[in-house]
Amino acid sequence: MKIIIAFSLILSNLLYSQIKTPDDYKKIPDILDTVDYLYPFIVPDKDYAYWRVLNNDTDPDKAIIYESQAPDYMTINDPAPEKGFFQRCTGNNCFSYILACRQERSVYFSNEQQLRDFIGTVDNLPEALLIARTYGYSIDTKNRFTGSYKIDDRYISMYALQSKGCPVIKESFLIKINRKNGKLEAKSNGIYSKNQDCTVL
């Protein structure tokens, strides 16, 4: 048993050493590893009088994740949609959605494609991280090959990861997001972790 564990550790270290990140990639700040902290950085593609990000919690006060500055006279009390983006489970507090007010009418954004449409042009790193999430990529800021980025005029590039299956397989990717249209390209750097503990997904 000890031999198997030692072999696994050696193999993991070999895989880590094979994934090289260029020196011009910076570490993604740890706080941006939490999705709810990304929403305040959204610069919507269209002009909305007011918008808010919510989850489907039955308590209206607990449901609000973020809201833009709203005019004093404006209140939106529309019911939650049946589905949203970043669906984690079924039931209460399982997904997020955006409710916006445009030209005195409320508009829902309640799936991954609609979130991408709401963001539109990619103005900053948090928006790029949200776009990546809509395609199933996340980050782990403990490693450069799963948590670093570079920004230029045309693209925001980052090293991110995908987790799937049981045992949990983690794979590193280099992804490039076109800042003008939000389109994503991805290239695998290979699997770097396998874990029998399926709670780590």
Side-chain angles (χ1 to χ4, degrees):
M1 184 68 179
K2 287 181 181 177
I3 294 170
I4 293 170
I5 292 169
F7 181 72
S8 296
L9 288 170
I10 291 166
L11 187 62
S12 294
N13 287 333
L14 284 172
L15 287 169
Y16 287 160
S17 63
Q18 288 173 356
I19 304 172
K20 297 287 184 189
T21 57
D23 293 337
D24 58 344
Y25 278 72
K26 300 175 187 172
K27 180 184 182 296
I28 295 172
D30 292 345
I31 196 167
L32 297 183
D33 198 8
T34 304
V35 175
D36 289 354
Y37 296 158
L38 303 176
Y39 298 118
F41 296 95
I42 293 178
V43 181
D45 204 36
K46 292 180 178 157
D47 188 24
Y48 296 99
Y50 168 69
W51 59 276
R52 57 166 62 162
V53 184
L54 306 107
N55 63 39
N56 65 318
D57 197 305
T58 51
D59 183 335
D61 293 329
K62 291 180 181 175
I64 299 171
I65 298 169
Y66 172 77
E67 58 186 333
S68 69
Q69 187 66 35
D72 292 337
Y73 61 84
M74 189 173 295
T75 305
I76 302 177
N77 290 319
D78 289 21
E82 291 182 14
K83 290 186 178 180
F85 47 82
F86 307 145
Q87 188 96 27
R88 297 178 299 279
C89 53
T90 56
N92 193 35
N93 197 13
C94 286
F95 61 78
S96 301
Y97 64 98
I98 292 172
L99 185 57
C101 184
R102 181 170 165 78
Q103 297 172 349
E104 298 183 8
R105 301 177 85 178
S106 56
V107 187
Y108 281 110
F109 297 85
S110 55
N111 62 41
E112 281 74 6
Q113 180 58 56
Q114 289 174 356
L115 175 57
R116 293 194 285 268
D117 293 342
F118 182 77
I119 291 170
T121 55
V122 184
D123 301 286
N124 53 52
L125 178 61
E127 285 189 345
L129 290 166
L130 281 168
I131 296 281
R133 289 251 181 191
T134 67
Y135 287 102
Y137 298 95
S138 58
I139 59 164
D140 179 357
T141 56
K142 295 185 187 75
N143 304 306
R144 281 183 59 82
F145 58 86
T146 58
S148 56
Y149 75 101
K150 178 177 78 170
I151 299 178
D152 60 39
D153 291 340
R154 292 185 63 204
Y155 296 98
I156 296 182
S157 305
M158 68 181 84
Y159 284 85
L161 69 95
Q162 278 190 337
S163 298
K164 55 190 171 186
C166 183
V168 178
I169 296 170
K170 290 185 177 181
E171 188 172 356
S172 170
F173 285 85
L174 172 60
I175 60 178
K176 286 176 70 175
I177 297 172
N178 186 307
R179 297 186 67 178
K180 187 176 182 180
N181 57 28
K183 287 190 177 174
L184 182 147
E185 300 170 26
K187 180 185 174 187
S188 174
N189 300 311
I191 292 166
Y192 68 91
S193 172
K194 288 185 182 178
N195 194 328
Q196 297 293 335
D197 180 4
C198 296
T199 61
V200 300
L201 249 178

